[in-house]
Amino acid sequence: MAHIDPCSAWMAVREDLDNQLAEANSDGCLNVTAVTSMPASGKSTTMLSHIFQLAREGRAPNRVIYVIPDETETVLLKRWMIMNNVASKEEYGDMRLGSDNKMTLATTRDFAKYLVEDGVGGTRRLTLVVDVSWYPTWEEETMFAALARWGQQQLESGDCRVAVVLLMSVFESRRTLELMEKSFGKESVRRLTFPDLHEWPKVQILGRGWNNSMADHVADVIDQGGRVIRASETEIPDLNHTEASEMKLPSANGTSTAIQDVTELLEVRLLSLAPDYPFSTQFEKLRLFISSVWVTESLQMDDETFQLVIRRRRLERCELMRHQSWVLKSGADLDKVEFLVTYDPSLVDAPQTFLERFGPAWNEDLLPTALSLTKIIGPMVPWKMSIRKPPSPHIWEEANVRLHKLGCLELDMERTGAFQVTDFGASVYRNMTDHQVNFYAAYLLAMSDTEGDLVIRRLLIRIAALASIDMAVCHVADDPQPGTWAIPIIVKDRLSDGFIWLTLGVFLSIEYKGPDLAMQNAREHGGVVKRGGLVILPQNVEVTLARVEKIERMHDIHQHDRSWMNRPLSDQRAGVVNRALMWTWLFRMVWIDGGAKPDIRGHEPARDLVTTRQCIRDIREFPIDVVHLRERAIQAGMSGGICAIYHSMHEIPSGGYKVALLTSIPIETFDDVEEKTGEEWPEVVMSE
């Protein structure tokens, strides 16, 4: 075999790939080529360029669409293709999926929506290249289900030329290939693998106390014109005193666009990555990579209780290999790049295909996954659906039960065990796709659409906008001073109810005074907008304001007068908002007994109502007026007990669980649950 550049290792299977694409370019044919390789082998660059050349020459179906999970990676690959003249301006066209361009790059989210709504615009000549993610999203699950259905329709028509090329890194996604074989026949699917030709970076293991002197080393590397990447959750003392500013990926709460990320990525000297950041790319002049963590926190669905828990997990070997792939893609000689780790690589488990279970689709996005699949497939019992196999059949059943109780699904009268999407569920789904928000934000927006009261709608839209970037956008910087919070009158009397109302109040105070004053406030307080003892990042303010404006415009709200914020919120209106909050986070509820007392550490006992298991809350974590809430509960005949939404549940390393950032829901609000579901509270949410 002739010499092959390690970064174009795919050339080892070029002939087989060419034959597969040529076969697909005949009438009535659809085939699938599954390409699995190690990172940095050229699949998404030089191999894609080759595939497009084949399509241009009539040796593959003539329209090429490349689907990429991450938006920032999509922008980077577009830039690479333009710089390397992969296609002409005429062939790229306007780069939109809906146009008849010869070459289009799209995110999984955008392609899923296009495939569901337009069926690839009637295209029957298509080379579809898909990056299969290690961390599946609900959009990716929807895309593959829609692709299976669309492909079957093409085969039935007899008038198609379709090549599907799946790109998989390190390990084969078995559940993806099982769906392809089930949908198109085993004979239509071919697997291609090729050897790893790289010499991998030499690993240097750091000793204890490594971080105490690392800031000086980082500064030296940068002073000499080099660049540094760290994949770490470990603090490096004095690192923020280096002259180089630090870029973090992913950006906090989605507060920057992909184009902004790429622009900064090309220039930044010090890059900080989440340990499980989903891709690697070229990073010129890389001289130092610090991989100082092999354990990370992630949101996981508990297999026994079906509750979302933030827990620690060990990174898989393939994730740590991705760290090394940054060095391979940098183009630097390996002896010029230090690759430092704080763990023994030989102790890390071998690559495992169960890594896919850590993706959001079957964890924090379980409900939108189940809702979207039911929406596009229609009423059908889950095990008969043409979808990628869920990690557990029970998790799918639980999702349907919850969506049914939330009013998003209803039983199909013609098919035993099948559900169909309700009008309300369809509204939630539209909000997820149109506004690109999570399930909770989409649910709140659907609730706001049922309201005729403009004030209530505007409050729910703002809570939804905050929830869409993560409700934990505010945090306590020092001892809270409620008297200094310049909160608009509309929510001032509701702050004692806790986290959501307080976060809303801080945001409204900024919106009322205008973003310019907020930015001035940030300049005066070291880059953060400060309200008493609370702080909020200015970019969170900008993103939330922009999202509110966009949502209101799409929901035909065009009034820009802010005077409504300085009128008291009536109990009736507050009750409507509380009902919306209750329904949105119905399965994230805790009960705190009237006689509960915190221990010496400030931990107060509580009980998760879904699982009935004991947990704790830290009374110092976020201001909530427990005394006032207990008095109100006594007046309601509840012996001082409090029911509250929690923002997150954490698994404690020493054992047990902690709930964080509570918002009280008045007990009378739950009367609505029994009225709508026919089941008593709290039994309606308890796991069986």
Side-chain angles (χ1 to χ4, degrees), residues 414-483:
E414 298 179 2
R415 298 171 181 84
T416 303
F419 289 89
Q420 62 185 6
V421 177
T422 62
D423 290 343
F424 182 78
S427 177
V428 175
Y429 175 79
R430 280 194 304 274
N431 288 328
M432 291 191 316
T433 56
D434 290 349
H435 299 300
Q436 298 177 7
V437 296
N438 59 38
F439 178 82
Y440 303 106
Y443 195 94
L444 280 168
L445 292 175
M447 295 284 284
S448 77
D449 286 340
T450 65
E451 286 297 329
D453 188 310
L454 184 59
V455 170
I456 293 173
R457 291 188 68 193
R458 302 191 84 168
L459 288 173
L460 292 180
I461 285 171
R462 279 151 181 78
I463 297 172
L466 288 164
S468 71
I469 65 168
D470 184 1
M471 284 293 288
V473 293
C474 290
H475 65 273
V476 178
D478 46 41
D479 292 332
Q481 304 166 31

Side-chain angles (χ1 to χ4, degrees), residues 374 378-381 404 409-422:
T374 304
M380 188 178 293
V381 290
H404 182 226
L409 297 181
E410 62 187 2
L411 288 169
D412 182 69
M413 295 296 101
E414 298 179 2
R415 298 171 181 84
T416 303
F419 289 89
Q420 62 185 6
V421 177
T422 62

Side-chain angles (χ1 to χ4, degrees), residues 49-83:
S49 178
H50 174 70
I51 289 173
F52 183 64
Q53 183 61 30
L54 293 178
R56 179 190 281 136
E57 295 171 358
R59 298 162 60 195
N62 63 4
R63 185 181 183 193
V64 179
I65 297 177
Y66 180 25
V67 181
I68 306 157
D70 186 89
E71 190 170 0
T72 299
E73 187 178 15
T74 303
V75 174
L76 283 165
L77 288 170
K78 283 181 181 178
R79 179 179 179 275
W80 183 91
M81 295 181 73
I82 291 170
M83 291 182 64

Side-chain angles (χ1 to χ4, degrees), residues 226 254 279 345 566:
F279 72 89
N566 265 336

Side-chain angles (χ1 to χ4, degrees), residues 65 76 120 136 140 166 174-175 178 219 246 310 317 321 338 353 398 507 540 559 568 592 605:
I65 297 177
L76 283 165
V120 199
E140 186 175 65
L166 304 176
R174 293 175 188 167
R175 61 197 200 96
E178 286 173 0
E246 184 176 15
I310 297 175
R317 180 176 293 176
M321 288 172 63
E338 292 180 279
T353 57
E398 180 66 20
F507 174 74
N540 284 326
Q559 297 181 24
I592 303 172

Side-chain angles (χ1 to χ4, degrees), residues 23 25 37 42 46 63 73 97 118 158 208 251 262 269 291 373 396 424 427 431 461 541 565 571 602 615:
E23 177 187 291
N25 198 31
S37 74
T46 54
R63 185 181 183 193
E73 187 178 15
L97 282 166
D118 299 322
R208 291 186 178 181
S251 59
V262 169
R269 292 285 179 181
S291 177
L373 290 174
W396 179 268
F424 182 78
S427 177
N431 288 328
I461 285 171
V541 175
M565 299 181 190
D571 289 343
C615 52

Side-chain angles (χ1 to χ4, degrees), residues 551-568:
I551 293 172
E552 289 199 332
R553 185 171 62 251
M554 293 180 69
H555 288 249
D556 295 321
I557 299 175
H558 303 289
Q559 297 181 24
H560 300 293
D561 175 31
R562 298 189 183 115
S563 62
W564 62 276
M565 299 181 190
N566 265 336
R567 289 193 281 271

